[in-house]
Amino acid sequence: MAVYPADDACPRCGGPASPAALADSGTLWTWTVQRYAPKSPPYQAPSGGFVPFALGYVELAEGIRVAAVLDVDDLDEIRIGMPLTVTAGDGVPRARPATGRTTGREEAS
């Protein structure tokens, strides 16, 4: 069983788990648009004020669904099944429409 984000223990049995590399691309499984600012704290509005943004689940080749902010130019262009490239760092992963082959990997356990 693989889960994201990586954890030291299996969520089913509590036994030990080890990190594994995941594909950095997948397809959009579902999505929604956040049209109002989240509660603060912990949310901190950017200097230009709140701008609506999309959140979605990206299904990776391994079958894992990763929640991510969708970095798209036009919210009206989002479609279930669209190919996306996922990047992770501090905070919530981000996904952009795929423009070609990528080689990065994400961590899961």
Side-chain angles (χ1 to χ4, degrees):
M1 173 179 184
V3 297
Y4 183 89
D7 199 344
D8 293 335
C10 173
R12 285 194 183 160
C13 69
S18 58
L22 297 174
D24 66 348
S25 60
T27 57
L28 186 60
W29 186 72
T30 194
W31 61 281
T32 190
V33 175
Q34 177 78 23
R35 297 193 186 277
Y36 56 91
K39 290 183 179 182
S40 183
Y43 176 75
Q44 295 178 359
S47 60
F50 176 78
V51 176
F53 60 94
L55 299 166
Y57 277 98
V58 181
E59 187 167 41
L60 305 178
E62 296 84 357
I64 296 172
R65 294 179 186 137
V66 175
V69 172
L70 304 179
D71 291 326
V72 296
D73 296 328
D74 184 353
L75 296 174
D76 292 331
E77 297 296 319
I78 300 171
R79 299 288 181 263
I80 289 175
M82 69 188 292
L84 297 167
T85 300
V86 180
T87 56
D90 293 335
V92 177
R94 302 188 78 85
R96 293 199 52 76
T99 57
R101 193 176 180 333
T102 58
T103 59
R105 306 293 279 180
E106 303 300 332
E107 289 286 316
S109 63

